[in-house]
Amino acid sequence: QVQLVESGGGLVQAGGSLRLSCAASGRTFSRLAMGWFRQAPGKEREFVAAINWSGGWTSYADSVKGRFTISRDNAKNTVYLQMNSLKPEDTAVYYCAADLGGGLERSKYEYDYWGQGTQVTVSS
C-alpha cells in the first residue's frame, strides 16, 4: 500500500505561481514512478506530468510544457509540481499518483495509488 497526501493548492492570480507537494508513505518511494493529474469540473481527469524513480526522466502534457516542472526528493519521500505562469484554464483539482510499474505513463489507468487531491484556482 502507498498513501499519498497532496498539499500546496490555493487561489492565485493569473501569471502567478504555486508549488504542489505530495508526500508518500507505506512503500519504498524511490522505486515508484510518480505522476500529477488534474480534473476540472465536468471534465475527465487528465495527465499533467510524470517522473521516473530516479528523477532523471520526466514527461509533460503539451498544455503545461515550459510552465510546470515536476521533481522529486527521494530522501523526503516527496514529489513536487512547480507551476509558473498560471492561467485560468489551469484551475482544477490536482492529484498525485504512484505507478508501481515505474514508467512515464500518461494514462490514469496505469497508476496504482492516488492522493485525495488539492484544489488550484487561478483567477483572471
Side-chain angles (χ1 to χ4, degrees):
Q1 290 288 332
V2 177
Q3 292 78 44
L4 302 171
V5 180
E6 301 98 333
S7 61
L11 174 64
V12 64
Q13 289 188 332
S17 298
L18 282 174
R19 188 176 82 154
L20 306 183
S21 299
C22 173
S25 62
R27 198 178 179 104
T28 305
F29 178 74
S30 61
R31 297 181 182 177
L32 301 173
M34 300 295 295
W36 285 97
F37 288 75
R38 66 187 182 187
Q39 187 167 17
K43 294 189 176 182
E44 293 285 323
R45 190 170 298 188
E46 65 175 5
F47 170 77
V48 175
I51 189 166
N52 77 325
W53 65 273
S54 69
W57 295 94
T58 58
S59 177
Y60 296 93
D62 288 344
S63 59
V64 307
K65 198 173 294 183
R67 300 188 297 123
F68 291 10
T69 303
I70 188 170
S71 62
R72 65 190 296 158
D73 185 338
N74 286 346
K76 296 182 178 180
N77 287 0
T78 301
V79 62
Y80 304 98
L81 186 68
Q82 178 67 44
M83 305 185 295
N84 298 328
S85 302
L86 282 161
K87 305 175 181 180
E89 51 264 43
D90 294 318
T91 295
V93 177
Y94 283 70
Y95 299 89
C96 75
D99 174 16
L100 299 177
L104 293 176
E105 301 293 347
R106 291 175 170 246
S107 170
K108 60 187 176 184
Y109 301 108
E110 297 295 333
Y111 288 80
D112 302 286
Y113 299 97
W114 293 85
Q116 83 289 349
T118 185
Q119 177 70 47
V120 171
T121 303
V122 184
S123 63
S124 57

